[in-house]
Amino acid sequence: MESDYGLPRELSHLQKSRSLYQPELPPCLQGTTVRLEFGDATTVADSSGGHTISQSFPHTYGQRLAHFLRATAKVPGARIISTHPALRVGLVFCGRQSPGGHNVVWGLHEALKIHNPKSILLGFLGGSEGLFAQKTLEITDDVLATYKNQGGYDLLGRTKDQIRTTEQVNSAMAACNALKLDGLIIVGGVTSNTDAAQLAETFAEAKCSTKVVGVPVTLNGDLKNQFVEANVGFDTICKVNSQLISNVCTDALSAEKYYYFIRLMGRKASHVALECTLQSHPNMVILAEEVAASKLTIFDLTKQICDAVQARAEEEKYHGVILLPEGLIESIPEIYALLQEIHVLLRQGVSVDKISMQLSPWASALFEFLPPFIRKQLLLHPESDDSAQLSQIETEKLLAELVETEMNKRQKEGSYKGKKFNGICHFFGYQARGSLPSKFDCDYAYVLGHICYHILAAGLNGYMATVTNLKNPCNKWRCGAAPITAMLTIKNDVGGSRAMTIGKPLLHPAIVDLRGKVYGVLRENARKLLLDDIYRNPGPLQFDGPGADSRVVSLYVEDLDYMGRIKELNEYLEKVRGIVKPGCSQDVLKAALSAMSSVTNVLSIMSSPTNTTVRSNMGYTKGLFSAITRDGEPLVKKLAAVSVFGVLPGAMIASLIYSPPDFIYNKNAPSKSTN
């Protein structure tokens, strides 16, 4: 709390150059006049949880979408906010630092001053603890000077603590009241924005005048839903990591004698590992979601990696690069169960040196089997969300050691006749987390900061700033705001091997969709990437010239723009109303009724809670079936004949899938901005 927050810093020549970069604004946010259009009232994606969520958030559930348009836009019902009184706004960094966070502050500050120079932006020092203690720093141009377009959260500091208990919520409200804040901006990921939703509801119930706004900033990339296409920081993290991975790939190809096991950040979702695979093309990637879905044990993983090593040896290749997400360890069923037992004992106050003696027999046997360094790391106290300290558990080292043991055994038995296996381990985490943000993240965060102002100017509470159509140049972006309650879901069962919070409305992390387009791209190219070494080096992060305007590959492949499609649907509905008016012919009326009846019936079936579950299960079953068959014959039968990843059963075949360079980077490259 007594750190030197906000003090001017000595910048390198590159940092100074970046601080002078002026991010772009979409046309709808340029100038001092913005038109606001309200869309329809929102619901939730899973209707089975709608009633519970509406009961838990009676003041903020069902609010309408908001779209920000150019002042000249001819949209019936849209209005221009003409009065801009001085606002007092507070901003707090919650969660782990993510490149681009400082530009949210910059964008918000600039928008406040443009519309009323008397407005004040206060940054809370030290995250949520600073909020509770009312420790603030007034943001000015001088304070921002050496933090524009810079990485980290060192302008204000951050916290990973939650704002969830009654005492914490009351402290936050007391701070907002004492400081007479018109708005509170919460910058963070799924946990922080869940807290933002609860704060907004509590403030509304207590008739507190402070409006709460969330901003999607997290390096994990797991705050994704129909309204949020990407998170600030994810683009930078993946580009920086991809260069490091590519350098390692080149080293592996040069020495031809090492297998590199690389663990990447991402918590419980594998989005970072998946995206880095698409960008750098290593030989293998093991996604936590696949392991959980197929319930692969640590022995399954070891055997399958060994089979891949042996298959490459038959091609006279004794090197390779394997990517692992940090959440993999919790996705392995028996390890997860062991962690659960350990955490229960830790919560009961059992000392670390006595835990092994109080484990169940099977857990004790597994615990003793694991190498000493892993045993020590599993005994670390869990995080605030009751998950293991994933960044501290060296899963890559565990797998490398188990694979080496198995390969030595095979060599001794004569089943493997290649060179000795050599594993080298890396954890790429903090190296990317503190990076200068990419051009995309600079622009995206800056735009979100401006949107935060317009949300507050419109008097909206419990909203998240959103931008869609992000795969296109900035002048094509759609800016808006969506109620956070529309993003909440309720988990009523246990997914995979990981227990989820049961029955409580939350913003749950979006895991890799095993039926999605991005995962499908991976599935198509497993064998090629495993055996052909088509490594790709995107080079260092670019701020200008070739590569500066690139986006993460997954953004191109997913092709989302949910908000744009909502508007397109409304346009079609308006056209129908324009055509089918009283006085139209009987034939037109009958055709409209028939079409609308069919559409309504189909949509009713698709959106019913029961059918959603059935379709989900059918989709996964179909995907898994296609993964374990080839030419109509189960790959399980073929495994005995050919032991390569391209023909392995279940999840591992899907985890090694890559795209040839030309498949995405030329075909789907964005057009150059015409701003």
Side-chain angles (χ1 to χ4, degrees):
M1 301 291 284
E2 305 302 325
S3 181
D4 53 350
Y5 296 123
L7 292 180
R9 301 178 298 175
E10 182 178 348
L11 302 181
S12 68
H13 291 302
L14 177 60
Q15 286 178 301
K16 289 177 182 177
S17 175
R18 291 308 295 154
S19 69
L20 297 176
Y21 169 69
Q22 178 60 49
E24 298 180 65
L25 274 180
C28 64
L29 299 181
Q30 293 176 8
T32 58
T33 304
V34 173
R35 191 177 291 271
L36 171 65
E37 176 195 17
F38 280 108
D40 295 329
T42 54
T43 182
V44 290
D46 185 356
S47 58
S48 64
H51 178 71
T52 301
I53 296 172
S54 65
Q55 293 295 306
S56 301
F57 296 86
H59 298 88
T60 53
Y61 179 79
Q63 297 187 98
R64 295 187 293 169
L65 289 178
H67 306 277
F68 298 110
L69 312 171
R70 302 185 196 204
T72 56
K74 305 298 182 182
V75 178
R79 65 186 177 92
I80 293 176
I81 299 175
S82 55
T83 59
H84 296 274
L87 298 178
R88 287 177 61 85
V89 181
L91 182 145
V92 58
F93 285 135
C94 295
R96 292 163 176 81
Q97 55 265 35
S98 190
H102 286 151
N103 275 30
V104 176
V105 183
W106 180 17
L108 174 58
H109 174 263
E110 185 171 272
L112 283 166
K113 295 299 184 181
I114 285 174
H115 291 89
N116 192 319
K118 295 181 180 179
S119 292
I120 293 176
L121 176 58
L122 300 176
F124 287 102
L125 302 178
S128 59
E129 293 180 3
L131 170 62
F132 305 147
Q134 302 180 31
K135 290 271 193 176
T136 63
L137 169 69
E138 182 175 348
I139 304 300
T140 64
D141 288 331
D142 289 340
V143 168
L144 280 171
T146 57
Y147 293 90
K148 296 177 179 179
N149 303 313
Q150 306 299 308
Y153 279 3
D154 49 325
L155 170 62
L156 300 175
R158 58 85 165 173
T159 180
K160 60 182 179 180
D161 298 327
Q162 300 173 348
I163 311 174
R164 190 156 297 175
T165 67
T166 301
E167 181 183 359
Q168 291 170 337
V169 171
N170 288 339
S171 295
M173 190 187 305
C176 292
N177 286 329
L179 296 168
K180 299 179 180 180
L181 297 183
D182 298 293
L184 174 64
I185 311 299
I186 294 181
V187 178
V190 290
T191 300
S192 303
N193 279 282
T194 295
D195 295 344
Q198 188 59 63
L199 278 181
E201 177 65 27
T202 304
F203 285 14
E205 183 178 8
K207 294 182 170 51
C208 173
S209 61
T210 305
K211 311 300 183 185
V212 181
V213 177
V215 189
V217 181
T218 170
L219 63 88
N220 302 326
D222 58 359
L223 203 177
K224 296 177 69 175
N225 51 56
Q226 60 270 43
F227 305 105
V228 182
E229 292 183 4
N231 306 147
V232 173
F234 182 73
D235 184 85
T236 303
I237 291 290
C238 292
K239 287 175 178 174
V240 173
N241 276 332
S242 292
Q243 190 218 352
L244 296 174
I245 293 164
S246 299
N247 291 348
V248 170
C249 289
T250 301
D251 187 78
L253 192 60
S254 300
E256 295 188 310
K257 61 179 179 179
Y258 300 118
Y259 271 88
Y260 292 91
F261 290 72
I262 301 175
R263 177 166 50 101
L264 300 170
M265 281 186 147
R267 300 296 296 162
K268 298 180 180 181
S270 304
H271 298 293
V272 174
L274 188 154
E275 176 62 33
C276 289
T277 299
L278 289 172
Q279 291 196 29
S280 58
H281 300 172
N283 298 103
M284 312 176 196
V285 58
I286 302 175
L287 303 183
E289 291 84 351
E290 300 167 319
V291 174
S294 294
K295 295 180 172 60
L296 295 178
T297 68
I298 190 69
F299 304 105
D300 292 331
L301 293 176
T302 301
K303 179 181 182 303
Q304 293 182 351
I305 295 174
C306 289
D307 289 344
V309 170
Q310 191 158 338
R312 286 179 58 80
E314 292 171 3
E315 301 285 330
E316 296 187 356
K317 294 180 178 179
Y318 301 99
H319 62 276
V321 179
I322 304 171
L323 302 189
L324 313 168
E326 63 179 354
L328 176 63
I329 193 72
E330 279 196 327
S331 297
I332 302 170
E334 70 276 21
I335 302 291
Y336 177 74
L338 172 60
L339 281 167
Q340 289 299 97
E341 283 201 27
I342 291 173
H343 292 172
V344 167
L345 293 172
L346 287 172
R347 286 194 295 270
Q348 292 175 351
V350 179
S351 62
V352 170
D353 58 339
K354 294 182 180 179
I355 281 182
S356 61
M357 295 180 289
Q358 298 194 35
L359 293 171
S360 63
W362 75 265
S364 179
L366 175 60
F367 187 75
E368 292 303 321
F369 162 78
L370 296 171
F373 70 91
I374 286 290
R375 294 203 295 264
K376 182 178 179 181
Q377 293 161 5
L378 295 181
L379 292 174
L380 294 171
H381 280 266
E383 301 275 15
S384 57
D385 63 354
D386 204 36
S387 64
Q389 292 196 37
L390 299 176
S391 63
Q392 304 301 314
I393 300 177
E394 297 173 299
T395 312
E396 73 284 9
K397 189 175 177 181
L398 170 63
L399 281 175
E401 188 168 309
L402 294 177
V403 169
E404 182 175 9
T405 300
E406 173 63 18
M407 293 310 298
N408 289 340
K409 177 184 174 184
R410 293 186 184 191
Q411 193 166 38
K412 187 175 181 180
E413 293 173 346
S415 59
Y416 171 66
K417 298 182 172 61
K419 295 180 181 179
K420 179 178 173 57
F421 176 85
N422 291 298
I424 297 178
C425 300
H426 295 285
F427 173 42
F428 291 165
Y430 308 105
Q431 300 94 326
R433 196 168 76 173
S435 171
L436 289 172
S438 65
K439 182 177 182 295
F440 173 82
D441 278 329
C442 286
D443 292 342
Y444 184 28
Y446 180 78
V447 169
L448 288 172
H450 273 260
I451 293 173
C452 286
Y453 166 76
H454 293 291
I455 293 174
L456 295 177
L460 304 180
N461 178 42
Y463 277 71
M464 185 184 294
T466 64
V467 181
T468 61
N469 204 31
L470 286 169
K471 66 182 176 63
N472 285 311
C474 185
N475 62 349
K476 303 289 186 183
W477 288 0
R478 303 180 193 272
C479 301
I484 304 177
T485 53
M487 309 174 193
L488 301 179
T489 55
I490 296 175
K491 299 294 184 181
N492 293 316
D493 55 10
V494 177
S497 66
R498 184 186 301 123
M500 304 296 288
T501 303
I502 306 299
K504 186 174 182 180
L506 298 172
L507 261 171
H508 287 93
I511 61 175
V512 171
D513 184 1
L514 300 183
R515 300 178 305 277
K517 291 183 179 179
V518 180
Y519 184 72
V521 170
L522 289 178
R523 288 176 59 88
E524 295 170 2
N525 297 279
R527 186 183 182 90
K528 183 177 181 64
L529 265 292
L530 176 71
L531 298 176
D532 293 352
D533 291 350
I534 54 172
Y535 302 141
R536 179 181 183 275
N537 196 327
L541 192 63
Q542 300 295 302
F543 301 119
D544 197 10
D549 292 313
S550 68
R551 311 281 195 271
V552 291
V553 177
S554 53
L555 202 57
Y556 300 139
V557 175
E558 287 169 340
D559 190 23
L560 300 174
D561 194 18
Y562 181 86
M563 303 285 265
R565 290 185 175 119
I566 286 286
K567 291 181 69 68
E568 185 178 2
L569 172 63
N570 287 330
E571 290 171 2
Y572 276 114
L573 294 176
E574 287 299 323
K575 288 179 181 179
V576 171
R577 292 190 185 98
I579 296 171
V580 186
K581 291 183 176 180
C584 69
S585 70
Q586 283 278 10
D587 290 340
V588 170
L589 181 59
K590 287 179 181 179
L593 284 172
S594 176
M596 288 299 177
S597 176
S598 298
V599 169
T600 303
N601 288 337
V602 170
L603 295 180
S604 296
I605 294 172
M606 290 182 67
S607 60
S608 68
T610 303
N611 189 65
T612 300
T613 302
V614 171
R615 286 186 294 107
S616 177
N617 291 338
M618 286 178 63
Y620 176 68
T621 302
K622 180 179 179 182
L624 186 59
F625 177 77
S626 65
I628 63 176
T629 62
R630 179 176 294 171
D631 302 327
E633 180 181 356
L635 290 180
V636 175
K637 293 182 180 179
K638 292 188 175 183
L639 184 58
V642 184
S643 183
V644 296
F645 261 110
V647 290
L648 280 176
M652 286 302 290
I653 188 175
S655 61
L656 306 177
I657 323 175
Y658 304 70
S659 166
D662 294 340
F663 182 82
I664 291 173
Y665 288 91
N666 292 337
K667 182 178 179 181
N668 295 313
S671 58
K672 188 173 180 62
S673 172
T674 56
N675 266 351

